[in-house]
Amino acid sequence: MSDALTLPAEARERAGKGASRALRREGRIPAVIYGGKEEPTTIHIEEKELVRQMMTGQFMNSIVNIDVNGKSVRTLPKDVALHPVTDRPTHVDFLRLSKDAKIEVAIPVIFTNEEESPGLKKGGVLNVVRHELDLVCESDKIPSEIEIDVTGKEVGDSIHISEVKLPAGSESAITDRDYTIATLVAPSALKKSESAEGEEDEGEETEATEGGEEAAEGGEDSGE
């Protein structure tokens, strides 16, 4: 499960574009906490601390406890707006979580036991179609990653979501199809080699055919 993060915040007294620009000039980022059958709470947070937590790579899949005026609010980051030129954060949306809430999140996948895959041992390549899985998870059981075992996989095999053992409290958000996560494909060098061998075989057959035809023509000429 992703570790819970803590983010200090202060309540916003004023809203609007002017107030938001003033906050950003002071190194603060406007944000809002919504959901949980409560009124939205407008806050602002320190830009440096927000960026530091975002750089961990787990921010969007982590529970974030926001401390607002001495009160801790359990949330999940839902959206971080970035400046189109500088990529600096300009606004953050947080979803307020109840204890029994279920939420949809994108969880990264990692592949294990690659040394136990005959296809990879032969030089095959793991072609990853989905680097993240869309899951519905209980808010207190959000996994940091999903492990996929490739033991026994051969070139040409595919890995589908139905093969993946999801942790307790998680289920696939996509239920209308058994989608592909990864495939084992032959390396391009191997494909080129096989193609070249095929062309060589064709060339040899052509030469043999032409040689036979020439010999036959030679025999006819000598007979005349």
Side-chain angles (χ1 to χ4, degrees):
M1 173 182 172
S2 300
D3 294 330
L5 304 174
T6 299
L7 193 59
E10 295 180 20
R12 270 194 286 164
E13 297 179 358
R14 295 185 301 127
K17 292 183 178 179
S20 294
R21 283 196 294 268
L23 284 171
R24 295 186 192 104
R25 286 195 294 269
E26 298 172 1
R28 309 288 295 183
I29 303 299
V32 62
I33 304 172
Y34 66 94
K37 298 180 181 180
E38 296 183 33
E39 289 296 318
T41 301
T42 53
I43 59 173
H44 58 90
I45 54 184
E46 184 183 14
E47 180 180 1
K48 288 183 178 180
E49 179 60 19
L50 172 64
V51 171
R52 186 189 71 79
Q53 294 193 16
M54 289 174 60
M55 292 297 288
T56 64
Q58 296 293 328
F59 181 71
M60 299 302 293
N61 292 324
S62 297
I63 302 297
V64 179
N65 294 314
I66 300 179
D67 292 333
V68 187
N69 300 335
K71 179 183 177 181
S72 181
V73 183
R74 193 163 172 267
T75 73
L76 182 76
K78 293 301 291 182
D79 184 62
V80 179
L82 302 175
H83 190 280
V85 177
T86 64
D87 277 343
R88 292 175 59 184
T90 58
H91 190 276
V92 188
D93 290 341
F94 293 95
L95 176 65
R96 186 184 288 110
L97 298 177
S98 59
K99 185 177 181 181
D100 56 350
K102 285 190 174 184
I103 48 181
E104 184 172 337
V105 289
I107 306 298
V109 297
I110 62 169
F111 297 89
T112 62
N113 295 326
E114 295 186 8
E115 68 281 358
E116 300 299 327
S117 164
L120 293 178
K121 281 186 175 181
K122 295 174 185 175
V125 177
L126 188 64
N127 177 40
V128 181
V129 179
R130 285 178 174 264
H131 293 273
E132 294 180 327
L133 302 184
D134 295 324
L135 303 180
V136 175
C137 305
E138 295 177 13
S139 62
D140 59 345
K141 296 180 181 178
I142 301 176
S144 58
E145 59 192 16
I146 299 296
E147 293 187 359
I148 298 178
D149 191 342
V150 296
T151 298
K153 294 296 181 181
E154 290 278 6
V155 170
D157 287 348
S158 297
I159 301 171
H160 298 88
I161 182 63
S162 59
E163 302 174 50
V164 180
K165 184 178 179 180
L166 298 175
S170 298
E171 59 187 25
S172 177
I174 301 174
T175 58
D176 61 342
R177 62 189 185 279
D178 188 16
Y179 62 84
T180 301
I181 300 170
T183 58
L184 264 72
V185 298
S188 56
L190 179 58
K191 291 180 180 178
K192 290 180 181 178
S193 174
E194 292 175 348
S195 176
E197 289 176 0
E199 291 175 358
E200 288 177 2
D201 291 341
E202 289 178 3
E204 291 175 358
E205 290 177 3
T206 302
E207 289 177 2
T209 303
E210 291 176 349
E213 290 175 353
E214 290 175 357
E217 290 175 358
E220 290 176 0
D221 292 341
S222 61
E224 292 174 355

